[in-house]
Amino acid sequence: MTNGTATPADLDARLEAHRTELTGYCYRMLGSSFEAEDAVQDTMVRAWRSYDKFEGRSSLRSWLYRIATNVCLDMLTAGNKRARPMDLTESTPLAQAALSPRPDNTWLEPMPDARVLPMTADPAEAAIAKESVRLAFMAALQKLPAKQRAVLILREVLAWKASEVAELLGTSVASVNSALQRARATLAERQEPGAEAAVSDPLDADQQKLLDRYVAAFEGYDMTALTALLHEDAVMTMPPFDLWLTGVSDITGFMTTLGAPCAGSRLVPVQVNGLPGFAQYKPDPETGGFTPWAVQVLEISDGRITGFHCFLDTKRWFPLFDLPLHLEAETDQVQEGV
């Protein structure tokens, strides 16, 4: 099919076939779920408008990645780098805990796996893709200058050849190799909290048992049971608040003081950032049911939970995960979110 014979329906279908992988690429570049989807939509619009100029000297996929890269680089010119609470402040002892929110554009945002991870029959490829959207790796990417970030993602995550990346960026192979070397060196110098998270795909029997025990402990608000599941140096974060806690006693202490209204919550499993997670619904005294409270992302290592990250802006996150905004009191569970 040549450009001249492509019907609008044909072109829509061809562009849409690349949406998920482009969203994953833009998400890694930008660190924001919503900005990534905006960037991909902008990419699609630009591709549609200029398709008659696409001469087919590269593949449609390469052409779309070139457009998406330019869109992301334009969006990153403001210099905004998404962060996690531990990137901005020191860990706070429970006795000094205060909930101070920061603007939405401060934070690295969660993303449903289904929106950024294309289906693949290759287990190794699927594992790399999942690892590349985990919160620790995403936080590490944010430390890189924008073009180094693009080079690292294209070379290390998407396995593009140096010559292909050079063509996409309009630079030399030597420049691409140099940028990749500098990006690798920067990441090697910084060991991000959560980088040691080891979650198999799919979950092995022990990891699934750990999650089952976690659900029972959290829904029962059993701090003794939860203590047995947390690593002694476990970290808890709660964007948009910059507070973060470390250690079992401070985490469980917070949950029984400032976090006490979460007692009696219900958890619905979600696949988020290549890791196990849950949508948390808190009891709603007005309706008698449950209201959205947080999307939780769990990091696991050596049979313990090492990271416990709660994203609290539920008006944004629950629709993104296709989750209901209310659970009836008699509902023990709903289907897993997308």
Side-chain angles (χ1 to χ4, degrees), residues 292-306:
W293 183 246
V295 170
Q296 302 180 0
V297 185
L298 302 187
E299 293 166 337
I300 299 172
S301 182
D302 296 328
R304 290 288 185 274
I305 295 169
T306 56

Side-chain angles (χ1 to χ4, degrees), residues 23 27 31-38 108-116 270-273 279 281 295 311 313-325 337-338:
T23 305
Y27 175 59
S32 164
S33 319
F34 297 103
E35 286 185 2
E37 297 201 331
D38 287 345
L108 183 64
E109 297 178 346
M111 179 65 104
D113 286 359
R115 289 182 181 257
V116 293
V270 293
Q271 297 297 317
V272 51
N273 286 89
Y281 290 83
V295 170
F311 294 88
D313 192 350
T314 55
K315 289 182 179 179
R316 303 175 76 214
W317 304 133
F318 276 53
L320 184 71
F321 284 79
D322 294 330
L323 290 160
L325 295 178
V338 176

Side-chain angles (χ1 to χ4, degrees), residues 97 149 161 181 199 220 238 246 252 305:
R149 200 181 307 178
K161 296 176 182 177
Q181 186 175 12
V199 181
M238 293 162 282
T246 184
T252 56
I305 295 169

Side-chain angles (χ1 to χ4, degrees), residues 67-101:
I67 298 172
T69 300
N70 289 333
V71 170
C72 290
L73 292 178
D74 287 345
M75 293 175 73
L76 289 168
T77 53
N80 180 47
K81 295 183 178 181
R82 299 279 175 158
R84 298 180 298 170
M86 61 274 279
D87 301 321
L88 303 177
T89 65
E90 295 296 323
S91 176
T92 305
L94 178 60
Q96 300 171 20
L99 298 177
S100 304

Side-chain angles (χ1 to χ4, degrees), residues 233-254:
D233 296 323
V235 168
M236 179 181 182
T237 67
M238 293 162 282
F241 301 117
D242 58 15
L243 170 73
W244 64 285
L245 302 166
T246 184
V248 175
S249 61
D250 275 3
I251 291 173
T252 56
F254 177 88

